[in-house]
Amino acid sequence: MAEQMTVKPAATGTTDAAVLGYRRSPAHHLAELMAAASGEQVRLREVPFLTQITIRATAPEAVEAVGNALGVTMPSAVGEVAQGEFGEGGSGSSGSSGSSGSSVSVVWLSPDEWLAVLGDEADTGVSIAAVVESLSVALGERRGQVVDVSSNRTTLELSGSKARAVLDKTIELDLHPREFPVGRAVSTQMESVAVILWRSADDTWLLMPRASFAEHVVGWLADGMREFS
Amino acid sequence: MTQHQNHHGGRLERGGRLDRDQPIGFTIDGTALTGYAGDTLASALVANGRLRVGDSIYLRRPRGVLSAGVEEPNAFVRVNGEHNESMLPATTLELRDGLDVTLLDGIGVLDDRPDRNEYDKMHVHADVAVIGSGPAGLAAAKEAASGGARVVLFEQDFELGGSLLSDPTITVADQGALDYVASVRAELEAAPEVTVLTRTCVFGSYDNNFLVALEKRDDVASAEGGVSRQRLWHVTAGQVVLAVGAFERPIVFSDNDVPGVMLASAVKTYVERWAALPGRDVVLFTTNDSAYETARCLTKAGATVTVIDARPEVKAATSAQEGARRAGLTVRTASAVVGIEGSEGVTGAFVASIDDAGQLAGDAELIACDLVAVSGGWTPNVSLHSQRQGQLAWDDVLSGFVPSAGVKNQFVVGAGNGTYDTDDCLIEGARAGRGAAAAAGFPASSSADGGDAVAESAEVWRARQHRAAGTVRPLWAVPAPDGSLDTHFVDPHRDNTAADVLRATGAGMRSVEHVKRYTSISTGIDQGKIGGVNTIGLLTQLLSGNDTKAIPSGQPGQDAADAVELTASGQPARRPTPGTIGTTTFRAPFTPVAFTALAGRGRGALFDAARTSPAHSWHVEHGARFEDVGQWKRPWFYPQEGEDMDAAVARECRAAREGVAFMDATTLGKIEIRGADAPEFLNRMYTNPFLKLPVGKGRYGVMCTVSGMVFDDGVTLRLADDRFFMTTTTGGAAKVLDWLEEWSQTEWPELDVTLSSVTEQWSTVAVVGPRSREVIAKLAPDLDVSKEGFGFMEFRETTLASGIDARVCRITFSGELAYEINVPRWYGLKVWEDVAAAGEEFDITPYGTETMHVLRAEKAFPIVGQETDGTVTPHDLGMDWVVSKTKEFIGKRSFSRAAFTEPGRKQLVSVLPLDHTLRLPEGAQLVEPDALGDYTGEGLPTAPIAMVGFVTSSYHSQALGRSFALALVKDGPTRVGQTLLASFGGKFAEVEVREPVLYDKEGARRDG
């Protein structure tokens, strides 16, 4: 593994605020459209720049190790999301500045795949690099992978009393609270687009499409919202 | 078509489910008429004394309203508007103010004007789906909902109630029928987990209780935008209760299609539900007891009724015949209507006695009348049950096909199950509702009535059904006095008659499926609703005396046990039964559905995702024209003021070859690979070696299928001993990841390798051209960009001048000195703009996919999917150098097959048109110059002309100052220097075969 370091030393400090200012979120140009589509009964906005890390691990001790690094017990079944604190007060903050922390959610995606979601590093002070470093150390030489995918998807938040009715137009899954309670997240299709669908509160849903599909997903949601505007 | 104004009854003074305070004006064929809220178009027509509708589709015979529901075969209209809608049955069309319709002659024409209405979809999950809201469906829904289950009740009509709407005077559950409907509706609508959908027809039933239904929401279409006119419901149900009722069958006799011949149950519905009297002097022709209810209500409405009952005299005092006589009606038994007087409308019915064999037993007598109500018995509506391969059995007493074996997690109740007594429907429905609720895990509350009784055995229940149905004497075809069958209509919509069925059997058809296709019976809008069983019954008569073994077994609905009935003498039974003949196959949709409803909102921009890169807005602002590459919108070229495509591409090519240019390469597929065995894994996937690729370097690789055909290509970087970064073609991203996963998971699970797609994590800018080094030096001041310090196929992690961390690679797809800058996608726009700014002093030029194609084609770099089509090996592309001779890899063994080494394979060459301005069409065929013979390109050649190859890519080259093409040509490399003919569009052009690489063969430009 020595050669790895010859390419680039692991940078785990926080990113310069000016650099973070250069970021442009995938639905940035759709902000007005989403605001115009929103009303009393249903609202749509982007939650940009969440830190997202793909975690792959198979061996139980590897799964436990990355969970410890994140301060969670890794979820083990479809739909499950584990919640914890990374950094300050939490465990496994080896590379971070120590004066910052972020809540972390770990979404189960497949038997050996999870998505760790943390707040925007501009808000939390927890850099993507610090999380990647912490998890990579935890995984060690064991089979698996820790990959920064923060730019890979964006997060759209649909909320309001008619949010579920809007989703029911395109999502085939059963979104009734009996089957899809608050806190559940799954991979599914919205029309032809793969999304992670996450119920974060009674009337609040997060949809995470890959970045280039953000416009299409926003288009479908805004179209479905017209009935309730 | 002449308009026949008959003198039939009209609107009764009271009664009906109408809002008489709300008259509704409508127009039919230009004539203004009035109905009431609550009417259908058909009921309003009947109330206006108009039974006559359009003519029949082929024979152009006058036709009239036959039914009062979805089974209508005659009364089709076009609704005129901004977008005309055709072939709507008047019997289900809700009357609305200003409705403007044109009667159709059995066929409509699609309006070619756009339909600006909205259509959408909705997904719903239910514990129990109840289909149909007659007594059985209402009872089922009420019970199913009582325990808190999620229940969806579907009713295709705009009112709940089903048959109760036509039986308003009966008592149901100790209330008036309509009070019962209202009370159940109120109860259901008050339950938080219940959805009641009227105007919603379930037309398809699929595995795992997946149902598809169409809701007609015309009543809400006046609302603001976003409210659809029709909505397609995708329903996933734990349990399904089918309470879909039954269809009354017409009787097949001579001229049974004349306007004024109407189903007896429809007559009752028009009178009871809509207070519309279809006729005043009625001949009621029946084979069973049910039509006596129609006689009763007609009498009450003031009509005179003569009953013609096919059955012999029933002496019991309790019989329907006796009851009718006591009520003062004339009842003629063992008789039949054998013909009709009138053509535009019924003026009389010819009636004759029939013997036990159904043959005429006397002369016909004319009875003057203006309406002939007919009842040939009942056909349970088994379409949705049968769509799920539910079994059917012929029940001789009920004279119908009845569901026998059930479908998993489905219940069939009410008339759809052959249960015709209303009280029995309530019991059966309630039981099913309770059963479904319990199975779904939400047991019904015990206070509900009707469902607690211990269920009878199937035999006891069947006996109960038989008692309720009484005696039926089916008449499959009533003989005409002249012996003809030419106007005995079986499927009126298709204009098919008993004579057509006779022709089919005469031609040797035995299977009902063959007869259906030979005649076209049931292939139109009827789909077997009213014509199906009559056809099958007719076949039992026509095939009498034939060997029933000739009827193929195993058809849907066929009674296997009856298939071979042997007589005592060992001969086959003389007469097959409907059960031995079986039904045709029932398929979705149960009722017609417009394609536009199936499309829903997935039209225009919402039809498919248009994927864009983070710099898309820059491309748009700079005038890019876009090209679709898969779902991606990629800049194609950037025309400047006054430039056409050729001029823009030439300018872009010049910039890349002589100065500096940049391109958005974000769309390339990207996969991150990690594991101790990752080098070994890649070494097996790629045809060339990857074991010894040093960290910090990249390598171009080709993947083949197991058959040795080129599958994908791209450059893979080694980030660390155990980490690689693979790029794939734009279109191949998903399939390559699937391919790698398949081999990793199923063939080599022992290899420690893990794969993740990072296509969208990274944004990539290609900076290309002799002056690209200077641009990169400005952008990445920390980087040693010298030829010695940053070699070809190397990459560096660096921090750009902006402070953004980037991975910079030296890769070329043009042959020029070139770099690719990779940054996390959300920095993609910033870095693209920084490249543009840093390159400004060098006149940096953005270029699109067309210029990329020209540049790479000049260097003969193939594009997978353009130069390859799944039959092309790396060797065929002249890329022997990329195929290892020493290691094992996917596809290797195929290369030792004879077909790969024998001459005659099509191989990559370039071809140069002798006319330097001629750009050959891609796909143009290449032939030997002497292969044409006397063929000039006009018409077709007299004999096939052998093709030796075809053009795969064709462009104008700015660098060469001429047009050129790449082509796959048989034994191409051996033909270099030869002249071939390119054939396209009836023209021929001479081309010279050359080696593939036309520009910078030495590769001198790569390092700048």
Side-chain angles (χ1 to χ4, degrees), chain B residues 537-761:
Chain B
L538 198 51
L539 285 174
T540 65
Q541 289 188 326
L542 297 177
L543 297 177
S544 291
N546 284 307
D547 183 351
T548 54
K549 285 176 182 166
I551 302 168
S553 63
Q555 296 173 48
Q558 191 171 34
D559 295 344
D562 296 337
V564 184
E565 284 175 359
L566 295 182
T567 60
S569 63
Q571 294 302 305
R574 279 183 47 78
R575 188 183 186 110
T577 71
T580 61
I581 288 177
T583 68
T584 54
T585 307
F586 293 87
R587 296 187 185 88
F590 170 63
T591 52
V593 180
F595 280 114
T596 183
L598 297 175
R601 296 295 297 148
R603 308 166 65 171
L606 295 178
F607 175 68
D608 194 13
R611 303 174 68 182
T612 55
S613 87
H616 187 74
S617 58
W618 192 97
H619 304 321
V620 172
E621 284 161 22
H622 289 76
R625 294 272 309 279
F626 291 90
E627 179 183 31
D628 289 339
V629 181
Q631 290 175 308
W632 289 99
K633 293 279 177 203
R634 295 194 70 179
W636 191 13
F637 57 99
Y638 297 79
Q640 291 183 349
E641 189 75 31
E643 275 186 341
D644 62 8
M645 180 172 173
D646 286 349
V649 171
R651 176 178 49 74
E652 292 172 14
C653 285
R654 217 162 34 239
R657 292 261 184 249
E658 297 168 16
V660 59
F662 66 137
M663 189 191 70
D664 191 344
T666 299
T667 60
L668 286 180
K670 305 170 199 83
I671 299 166
E672 187 155 330
I673 302 165
R674 179 184 184 252
D677 297 319
E680 173 64 24
F681 180 72
L682 290 173
N683 208 46
R684 297 182 191 181
M685 300 304 299
Y686 279 125
T687 59
N688 48 334
F690 270 78
L691 278 179
K692 290 175 185 162
L693 177 66
V695 173
K697 287 206 166 192
R699 183 168 291 166
Y700 172 80
V702 170
M703 287 183 209
C704 285
T705 62
V706 286
S707 51
M709 302 305 168
V710 172
F711 172 70
D712 204 79
D713 68 347
V715 170
T716 289
L717 311 179
R718 189 164 199 173
L719 306 179
D721 271 357
D722 63 346
R723 281 179 66 213
F724 291 82
F725 181 85
M726 175 186 284
T727 60
T728 73
T729 58
T730 295
K735 73 173 185 193
V736 170
L737 181 61
D738 288 350
W739 178 245
L740 300 180
E741 287 284 8
E742 181 183 339
W743 286 90
S744 167
Q745 293 181 26
T746 68
E747 298 298 323
W748 306 318
E750 72 283 2
L751 292 186
D752 171 5
V753 57
T754 308
L755 310 146
S756 285
S757 168
V758 288
T759 296
E760 303 249 18
Q761 169 66 18

Side-chain angles (χ1 to χ4, degrees), chain B residues 506-561:
Chain B
M509 304 298 145
R510 293 293 178 274
S511 159
V512 68
E513 296 280 13
H514 289 155
V515 171
K516 168 180 175 174
R517 282 148 186 90
Y518 192 85
T519 59
S520 90
I521 287 171
S522 296
T523 59
I525 210 155
D526 182 61
Q527 290 295 308
K529 292 184 187 73
I530 59 173
V533 171
N534 278 342
T535 305
I536 296 160
L538 198 51
L539 285 174
T540 65
Q541 289 188 326
L542 297 177
L543 297 177
S544 291
N546 284 307
D547 183 351
T548 54
K549 285 176 182 166
I551 302 168
S553 63
Q555 296 173 48
Q558 191 171 34
D559 295 344

Side-chain angles (χ1 to χ4, degrees), chain B residues 968-987:
Chain B
L968 288 167
V969 176
K970 277 183 188 168
D971 305 315
T974 69
R975 293 178 185 267
V976 168
Q978 286 183 12
T979 299
L980 294 175
L981 280 182
S983 164
F984 51 95
K987 291 185 231 155

Side-chain angles (χ1 to χ4, degrees), chain A residues 56 140 172 174 212 223 226, chain B residues 118 125 150 601 755 760:
Chain A
R56 306 287 302 276
E172 294 181 13
D174 190 351
S212 70
D223 185 73
R226 290 180 305 132
Chain B
E118 288 195 12
H125 293 253
R150 279 190 280 166
R601 296 295 297 148
L755 310 146
E760 303 249 18

